[in-house]
Amino acid sequence: MASPMRSLFTDPARYLQSFRLFLTNSTEHQCMQEFMERQLPAVIASIGNGKSTINILSVGGGAGEIDLLILSKLQGRYPGVTINNDVIEPSADQIFKYKERVAETSNLENVKFTWHEETAYEYESRMNAEKKSKKWDFIHMIQMLYYVKDVPATIQYFHSLLEAQAKLLIILVSGTSGWETLWKKYGSSFPLDDLCSYVSSADIKRILDSAGLKYQLYELPSHMDITSCFIEGNKEGELLLDFLTETCEFSKTAPPELKHQVMEELRKPECSEKRDGKVLFNNNLSVIVIEP
């Protein structure tokens, strides 16, 4: 009998609901913001030396929240310099939100935005077809490598577009996170979807090492409150479980044995810690900064 389990990506509205809840319940954005505040200035310290224009490429820029933080740090480091900020983002809805955010943000006079409604692969194919290979001073891919078919080829392509002083910055889940434990153990039991695959900093390190690329790695501690997942029938808990397993209605459609095993796994110290009566899932992220 075919399992009634289906990928969360088959229900975009529910996916968005669960994703928003994940952001509310986790320190995902806070830990990224802290990195941008504290460590990004050193990363970008020399990318624009002697340049009158700095070219930035945001791959999978989403609604632009983190992008605008990056731009403010660049403006602080290179006051008055013109910044061309190109954004590759396949979701029209996310681009719309990004444009709204730009319209509401002051001090962006010296930043020129260009949005490309396409995937990273479509962008690469279009550039190759047009025989273009524009070089960039800073390229960033934040929480987007899960959505590409060929991770090594994608990294290789965008790395090839770096200027001499440039940097390629990648953020994704850490190889030390609860995601790594959960997905290495149960990923093959979840309904897999062509749109998304599990990849962590451990995988990226292997790819970079075998390609002989130089990089720096930063670990960002982060957690997500999943206490509600253990309350039977709790709507928020069910949505968070969907997000963790990328399964639509996981608690209703998963075989009882799998559900039991996943719930047990989520409580283990490899995945979560108990603090003040809460279960906090290890949502650690890694930032990888690759040299040209």
Side-chain angles (χ1 to χ4, degrees):
M1 188 183 110
S3 161
M5 288 168 78
R6 63 190 174 99
S7 164
L8 184 54
F9 293 97
T10 59
D11 186 340
R14 190 170 173 92
Y15 168 75
L16 202 59
Q17 225 186 333
S18 69
F19 176 63
R20 287 193 182 127
L21 191 62
F22 157 71
L23 288 181
T24 307
N25 278 39
S26 73
T27 58
E28 171 98 352
H29 271 174
Q30 293 90 310
C31 77
M32 282 196 236
Q33 285 162 345
E34 204 168 290
F35 175 85
M36 299 307 168
E37 292 290 344
R38 292 183 181 176
Q39 279 150 313
L40 187 68
V43 171
I44 59 170
S46 60
I47 63 169
N49 282 354
K51 299 196 170 192
S52 56
T53 305
I54 297 175
N55 296 314
I56 309 294
L57 184 61
S58 163
V59 187
E65 186 178 357
I66 302 293
D67 283 22
L68 290 186
L69 196 54
I70 290 172
L71 289 168
S72 76
K73 291 298 156 205
L74 276 156
Q75 288 175 307
R77 173 67 185 85
Y78 303 102
V81 169
T82 302
I83 298 171
N84 292 323
N85 188 70
D86 279 49
V87 182
I88 300 169
E89 170 54 57
S91 160
D93 182 50
Q94 292 285 71
I95 289 177
F96 179 74
K97 291 197 172 87
Y98 197 137
K99 288 178 176 174
E100 277 189 327
R101 192 168 258 136
V102 167
E104 291 159 7
T105 306
S106 55
N107 307 327
L108 290 172
E109 296 77 28
N110 64 326
V111 184
K112 183 173 167 285
F113 290 89
T114 309
W115 286 272
H116 307 277
E117 190 186 316
E118 56 193 351
T119 64
Y121 181 70
E122 285 163 351
Y123 174 84
E124 180 182 344
S125 303
R126 182 168 62 83
M127 287 296 140
N128 289 338
E130 295 172 9
K131 302 214 173 350
K132 286 181 183 166
S133 62
K134 183 173 176 178
K135 295 283 188 179
W136 302 90
D137 299 303
F138 188 54
I139 301 176
H140 55 83
M141 306 170 149
I142 297 172
Q143 291 290 47
M144 61 70 64
L145 280 174
Y146 321 110
Y147 307 104
V148 305
K149 289 272 186 289
D150 186 334
V151 175
T154 301
I155 292 174
Q156 198 174 358
Y157 172 70
F158 286 102
H159 181 263
S160 76
L161 305 182
L162 292 177
E163 288 279 18
Q165 298 288 325
K167 298 274 194 290
L168 168 59
L169 179 140
I170 292 171
I171 301 183
L172 78 173
V173 296
S174 168
T176 65
S177 67
W179 295 98
E180 183 82 349
T181 308
L182 183 68
W183 276 79
K184 285 283 182 271
K185 217 169 197 178
Y186 295 105
S188 58
S189 306
F190 301 147
L192 291 178
D193 184 276
D194 280 356
L195 280 173
C196 191
S197 58
Y198 178 74
V199 57
S200 77
S201 64
D203 303 303
I204 304 304
K205 276 167 68 178
R206 279 194 290 275
I207 291 166
L208 298 177
D209 288 338
S210 67
L213 295 176
K214 277 174 60 180
Y215 61 91
Q216 285 166 302
L217 185 74
Y218 306 81
E219 287 288 313
L220 312 185
S222 173
H223 63 260
M224 163 171 49
D225 184 348
I226 59 167
T227 316
S228 59
C229 293
F230 300 95
I231 303 166
E232 197 61 46
N234 181 289
K235 287 280 170 282
E236 285 202 350
E238 288 180 0
L239 277 167
L240 287 175
L241 266 178
D242 284 11
F243 190 75
L244 283 162
T245 60
E246 278 175 23
T247 304
C248 197
E249 305 265 11
F250 176 81
S251 59
K252 292 188 176 75
T253 62
E257 185 51 30
L258 177 64
K259 182 183 172 183
H260 174 74
Q261 288 172 342
V262 166
M263 300 310 286
E264 288 292 298
E265 194 65 41
L266 286 172
R267 285 185 187 275
K268 288 181 185 171
E270 290 80 10
C271 275
S272 305
E273 65 164 314
K274 291 196 176 68
R275 201 192 309 160
D276 306 327
K278 291 179 176 168
V279 183
L280 301 179
F281 181 78
N282 177 332
N283 183 56
N284 289 358
L285 303 178
S286 292
V287 179
I288 302 166
V289 178
I290 309 169
E291 308 286 331

